[in-house]
């Protein structure tokens, strides 16, 4: 190898040395590995990646990734990730959180982030429970279901994250499975490369509190021929990508098809449900303030900016 050959980054370059205290066998390990594999696949410099998280077991994920990290507030990860991304548009931004964090307390921010189409990837560790607080039902647990940590069946119906994301305006929407890291890494890499707000809802096992949706259940250990309860959308020829983003009929057709698939259960579809290239929030910021494109806010000296035109406009 020549002395000047670029160093190839591997999964080890994205591992931190902090002690991991997730329960043994937790699906979060699979998601962590998938993220590190995706970063290695894209050869992203750890200095150019920032990982934000909400509160919950998944909130610890940035601690275990060698990149910039910020463990934020319950349900507020998308607001912090949005601010960080707009302050430094040269940074790759990942946001992470659980289903309780993102689809429960953070539901309003979830909708707002989709509407804005800020360029980041949001990965939701969806295990149907609030794991960190001992397994209460999360917003994705269906009515009538009862995990071992619940005294009674859930009396409310579960929400559908994919349909919520379609309605909110996310421009890349996918679902993955935590215990299939290679496949999940490919989906995460696509979400990172996508320009705009990307959601990856990752089905995650919680062996401590969720005894319904276990590895054995997802992988169909109890079914004839151990048939998996998951299937890949692309294996059935499904293509969620909008070819012409100006064609309203095509957009409606693709959204409708994605929503219809998202309500299928047993087998559950994983893969990319919907994808469209649309202008991002950053594009609009750059149109209004062109110099931010070359020099992000973090590299500018706010005290040197002439604010008089702004003050004049506000008179
Ligand atoms: Fe994972 Fe569940 Fe343990 Fe949390 S409580 S670390 S989600 S197994
Ligand atoms: Mg959860």
């Amino acid at each position: 190898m020549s002395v000047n050959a670029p160093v190839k980054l591997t999964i080890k370059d994205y591992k931190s040395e902090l002690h991991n205290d997730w329960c043994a066998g937790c699906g979060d390990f699979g998601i962590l590995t998938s993220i590190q594999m995706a970063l290695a696949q894209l050869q992203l410099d750890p200095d150019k990646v920032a990982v934000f998280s909400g509160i919950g077991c998944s909130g610890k994920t940035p601690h275990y990734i060698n990149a910039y990290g910020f463990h934020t507030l319950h349900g507020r990860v998308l607001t912090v990730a949005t601010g960080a991304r707009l302050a430094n548009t040269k940074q790759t931004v990942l946001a992470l959180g659980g289903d309780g964090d993102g689809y429960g307390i953070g539901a309003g921010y979830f909708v707002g982030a989709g509407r804005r189409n800020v360029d980041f990837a949001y990965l939701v560790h969806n295990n149907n429970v609030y794991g960190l607080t001992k397994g209460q039902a999360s917003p994705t647990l269906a009515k009538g279901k009862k995990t071992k940590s619940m005294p009674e069946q859930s009396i409310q119906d579960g929400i559908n994250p994919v349909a919520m994301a379609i309605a909110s305006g996310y421009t890349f929407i996918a679902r993955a499975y935590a215990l299939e890291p290679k496949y999940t890494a490919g989906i995460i890499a696509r979400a990172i490369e996508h320009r705009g707000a990307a959601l990856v809802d990752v089905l995650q096992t919680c062996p401590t509190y969720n005894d319904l949706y276990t590895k054995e259940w997802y992988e169909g250990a109890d079914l004839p021929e151990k048939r998996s309860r998951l299937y890949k959308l692309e294996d059935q020829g499904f293509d969620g990508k909008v070819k012409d983003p100006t064609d309203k009929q095509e957009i409606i057709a693709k959204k409708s098809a994605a929503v219809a698939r998202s309500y299928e259960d047993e087998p559950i579809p994983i893969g990319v449900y919907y994808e469209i290239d649309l202008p991002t929030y950053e594009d609009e910021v750059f149109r209004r303030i062109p110099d931010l494109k070359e020099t992000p806010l973090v590299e500018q000296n706010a005290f040197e900016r002439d604010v008089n035109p702004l003050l004049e406009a506000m008179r």
Side-chain angles (χ1 to χ4, degrees):
M1 194 192 343
S2 130
V3 281
N4 294 324
V7 179
K8 189 165 167 34
L9 294 162
T10 69
I11 186 167
K12 284 192 196 138
D13 295 301
Y14 304 97
K15 289 187 176 172
S16 81
E17 292 178 358
L18 287 187
H19 169 72
N20 189 313
D21 61 0
W22 284 328
C23 309
C26 176
D28 282 339
F29 287 102
I31 301 175
L32 172 62
T33 302
S34 306
I35 295 167
Q36 290 161 331
M37 288 170 79
L39 296 174
Q41 192 177 315
L42 299 174
Q43 290 292 289
L44 292 173
D45 183 339
D47 281 351
K48 297 277 182 288
V49 177
V51 186
F52 299 85
S53 65
I55 298 298
C57 299
S58 58
K60 299 174 191 169
T61 308
H63 302 217
Y64 310 136
I65 297 175
N66 176 34
Y68 287 108
F70 189 173
H71 197 156
T72 74
L73 301 175
H74 204 188
R76 271 71 179 176
V77 62
L78 293 180
T79 59
V80 181
T82 297
R85 169 71 192 159
L86 295 181
N88 189 357
T89 44
K90 291 183 179 171
Q91 200 81 354
T92 293
V93 171
L94 290 183
L96 310 163
D99 43 340
D101 183 78
Y103 305 143
I105 191 166
Y109 303 115
F110 179 87
V111 173
R115 286 179 66 206
R116 279 190 283 274
N117 198 29
V118 177
D119 187 0
F120 57 56
Y122 182 32
L123 317 177
V124 179
H125 303 218
N126 182 358
N127 58 11
N128 317 99
V129 294
Y130 285 88
L132 194 68
T133 51
K134 308 232 175 290
Q136 300 87 347
S138 88
T140 57
L141 192 72
K143 191 173 181 176
K145 298 291 182 187
K146 177 185 170 314
T147 65
K148 65 180 174 185
S149 59
M150 295 163 60
E152 292 181 18
Q153 295 175 343
S154 173
I155 58 172
Q156 312 176 78
D157 217 338
I159 57 100
N160 177 332
V162 170
M164 250 171 74
I166 292 273
S168 304
Y170 284 77
T171 49
F172 180 96
I173 302 165
R175 187 187 272 151
Y177 172 53
L179 302 185
E180 210 173 321
K182 203 170 163 196
Y183 183 74
T184 301
I187 298 266
I188 293 173
R190 282 180 65 182
I192 293 172
E193 285 192 304
H194 173 76
R195 288 185 77 254
L199 170 75
V200 184
D201 180 68
V202 190
L203 304 172
Q204 179 228 327
T205 49
C206 168
T208 302
Y209 295 116
N210 190 337
D211 56 336
L212 296 178
Y213 305 122
T214 60
K215 176 181 191 299
E216 293 69 30
W217 184 86
Y218 279 117
E219 297 174 16
D222 57 316
L223 295 178
E225 298 166 5
K226 300 194 184 340
R227 189 170 18 87
S228 173
R229 286 188 168 93
L230 302 168
Y231 79 89
K232 297 188 173 85
L233 285 164
E234 62 273 23
D235 287 349
Q236 290 198 1
F238 183 89
D239 179 6
K241 184 161 173 66
V242 174
K243 307 287 179 298
D244 178 0
T246 65
D247 182 344
K248 284 192 175 170
Q249 290 310 317
E250 187 194 0
I251 291 171
I252 292 168
K254 287 276 158 70
K255 284 186 171 181
S256 303
V259 169
R261 291 276 179 155
S262 73
Y263 279 98
E264 290 180 6
D265 55 6
E266 298 206 40
I268 302 166
I270 57 174
V272 178
Y273 280 76
Y274 184 73
E275 189 177 0
I276 185 168
D277 291 324
L278 289 177
T280 63
Y281 193 83
E282 292 90 322
D283 290 336
E284 181 60 22
V285 171
F286 296 152
R287 192 182 68 75
R288 294 180 188 211
I289 316 172
D291 65 318
L292 283 180
K293 189 164 187 177
E294 291 310 315
T295 316
L297 210 52
V298 286
E299 293 174 14
Q300 301 212 6
N301 184 344
F303 297 106
E304 286 177 356
R305 285 194 86 93
D306 179 8
V307 294
N308 286 317
L310 183 62
L311 294 175
E312 278 301 318
M314 289 164 62
R315 266 181 203 280

